[in-house]
Amino acid sequence: MSNDRTNFTRRSFLRSTALATGGLIAAPMIMRHAALGSEDPILIGSLHDQSGPVGTSGVPMVRALELGIEEVNAAGGVLGRPLKLVHYDTQSNIQLYTQYAQQIALKDKVAVIHGGITSASREAIRPIFDRYKTLYFYNTLYEGGVCDRNIFCTGTTPAQTVEKLVPYSLERWGKKVYIIAADYNYGQITAKWMEKYTRDNGGEVLAIDFFPLDVTNFGSTISKIQQAKPDVVFSALVGGNHTAFYRQWAAAGLKGSIPISSTTFGLVNELAALEPSESNGIVSGYGYYEELKTDASVKFVSALKEKFPGIPYISELAAGTYEGFHLWVKAAQQAKSIDRMKVIEALETGLSFDGPTGKVTLDKATHHSVRNAFLAEAKDKLWDVVASYPDQKPSDTAAVCDLVKNPNDNKQYVISL
Amino acid sequence: MDLAAVLTLDVLNGVASLILLCTGLAVIFGMMKIINLAHGEFLMLGAYATVVAVEAGINIWIAMLVISPVFVGLVGLVVERTFIRLLYGRLVDSMLATWGLSLFLVGLITTIFGNTIKSVPSPLGGFTIGAYRSSLYTVFLVVVAIALLGGLWVLMRRTRFGLIARATMQNPDMAAAMGVSPPRVYMATFGLGAAITGLAGGLLAPVAGVLPTMGAAYIAKAFITVVAGGTSIIAGGATASGLFGFINQTASYLTTPVIGEVFLFVAAIILIRLLPQGISGRFFRGSL
């Protein structure tokens, strides 16, 4: 026990007290407890970009994981074992994603992986975790449609956010829309959902433009948009380079004349970077905003800001990661095992967690989450939440995916118009 | 008619941006045959210099037009003195060294500022042409690009420094025999190229997202323009920028931004196939 004194933590205290009480009851128990206590920690995998064009989004996600692990460890770990983070910086590079995915599944043998930010990265690593039977959590909002029993997608999908954002914008500003989006699977598919919901609500899509992630000059597009005279611009632009669009838009003086609604604005710290004159009035729809004033949200945000001063904006990405992590912890505790299939079965029992975004419940048929959604308007570098939609179902994915009926389904369904 | 005016401005903006992006590279590559793979990072340093200066309360015009070029010019001098000077005439080694430098600079800036987007507000407002709006800053960029080319021409053609620099580039041994110190000329030229790149970075800061990896988005276009322009830094750079800026902006407008980028690169491939020495190798031989 003298060794423990130098390294005294709440966990070791709990363990030693348990040992002492257990010892009174049955001697063999001590042996087992001692064996458990000396076991290696449970490894939690993390593949998130910390650098490169989407790096800004990844930093708060890893921070949220670190916070979650610290909390769980302080409360005694999972199944008596502490948790330990195994993190690789994927540097916004798909090749590194596949490389690290193999490494984290085969060499590190983590119990679960949280990771992938862009849809491109998720689709690159998903087959690897399927092949090596490693449970995978994708905690980013995305375009929906992934149907695979090995993955849990805790972020919002178009039916939860775009379906609210589009009618709100059409009603407020008018029926003619112009869509601009990033040129990869997220942007392409989200643009289709924007188009669908615009039509469903009696609107008209004037044009859709896609931009490679390294496009920095939006001059000709801004002229095209002016020529088309839309009532509102829908933007699914992604990453640091695309932030230039909002600056050039404001510099041309269009900020006041054509409003913008976005499914991505604010995810890479845009609100902190842009001037209020450039961002005010832009409307977005997400599953979480740092500004939410619920107790759980305030606690989450202040814990992160205290532990990691200077952390970038805490968006749905970080909140979703934190909740995805806690859902796994709950499932492992319920299953009394970290075995992949046992944890999946526990997660499929309609497990829920009360997180910073509110109550998150996993849906058995789609492996997606039923969660709250919000609309907010940028106001002086902050989000002013203007509408909230409780317990939204991932109905887009539910329309095509039923893992109860087809447990071996394994593909991403894409909307066709 | 209004639309034509706005589109002309877009094209001019595309051309001016390319001129600003590639002139610094052209000075270093065209005159000294050093392939500076850290060009994008010099640009990024210029942008950060402006951001930091503006955050410190310095007037944005002074930040963009003075602080950025002076700062990056000084960085260029240090870089030249520390290792570029050892690598003249060794093309591959200089590529490796500057590539390493670019990784180092990205890492350094990420460590200092983090990889969140920084930015400065755009200093000029918009203006209207009929039913269309455009940004005054665009016009300003065009003016600066013209001034930059004009200034460089005067410097190279009309000053003693320019004469010595050109002579050294053509025949360093002869220049040395005439009492010129080639290492000193190289140093000054590299610093000049870096300073011009810093200026471009500073000017980009108000219309781009400033982050440590921003250089990557610009470097391919800058290299293609310089290679297509050939050895004459002013005549070649200006015509190549004009051609590619026009193709990119017009194609983006008529089709989609994706096709616009494709057109630019296809045009570059065809051009380099037809004119392996670049535009100036054929049409402006021997000019600046």
Side-chain angles (χ1 to χ4, degrees), chain A residues 177-345:
Chain A
V177 308
Y178 198 109
I179 299 172
I180 50 178
D183 190 22
Y184 69 100
N185 50 358
Y186 170 76
Q188 295 272 359
I189 299 170
T190 304
K192 282 189 178 164
W193 283 108
M194 289 171 165
E195 192 178 357
K196 174 185 157 44
Y197 290 129
T198 301
R199 285 199 205 147
D200 288 356
N201 288 284
E204 179 195 357
V205 175
L206 301 174
I208 307 181
D209 276 348
F210 294 104
F211 300 84
L213 285 176
D214 60 354
V215 163
T216 51
N217 189 335
F218 293 88
S220 59
T221 304
I222 290 174
S223 300
K224 264 169 96 172
I225 296 177
Q226 293 191 58
Q227 199 188 359
K229 297 193 180 63
D231 295 321
V232 55
V233 173
F234 286 146
S235 155
L237 297 174
V238 172
N241 293 327
H242 284 180
T243 304
F245 170 79
Y246 301 101
R247 328 218 63 197
Q248 292 170 19
W249 182 256
L254 287 160
K255 185 65 220 344
S257 50
I258 305 176
I260 299 177
S261 287
S262 173
T263 57
T264 47
F265 185 84
L267 293 182
V268 282
N269 221 27
E270 285 98 333
L271 272 191
L274 299 181
E275 289 300 303
S277 61
E278 294 166 323
S279 62
N280 274 355
I282 295 179
V283 172
S284 66
Y286 295 120
Y288 181 69
Y289 291 93
E290 186 186 295
E291 289 82 0
L292 283 182
K293 286 289 168 259
T294 59
D295 290 347
S297 167
V298 171
K299 194 174 143 234
F300 174 66
V301 171
S302 54
L304 275 178
K305 290 202 164 163
E306 197 175 301
K307 194 160 149 58
F308 308 102
I311 187 172
Y313 184 80
I314 302 158
S315 67
E316 179 188 335
L317 303 182
T321 305
Y322 180 78
E323 289 163 350
F325 165 76
H326 273 291
L327 283 166
W328 177 86
V329 169
K330 273 187 108 168
Q333 278 162 345
Q334 189 177 313
K336 298 195 173 52
S337 165
I338 56 165
D339 176 72
R340 183 182 71 116
M341 272 326 288
K342 285 183 184 152
V343 174
I344 289 180
E345 277 157 14

Side-chain angles (χ1 to χ4, degrees), chain A residues 7 43 45 67 114 143 163 166 173 212 338:
Chain A
N7 207 348
L43 301 181
L67 176 71
H114 295 269
E143 69 281 358
E163 198 206 6
V166 169
W173 293 305
I338 56 165

Side-chain angles (χ1 to χ4, degrees), chain B residues 49-76:
Chain B
T50 290
V51 169
V52 170
V54 170
E55 279 176 1
I58 294 169
N59 178 290
I60 184 162
W61 300 105
I62 295 172
M64 289 191 301
L65 299 173
V66 181
I67 292 177
S68 284
V70 169
F71 171 70
V72 181
L74 289 174
V75 171

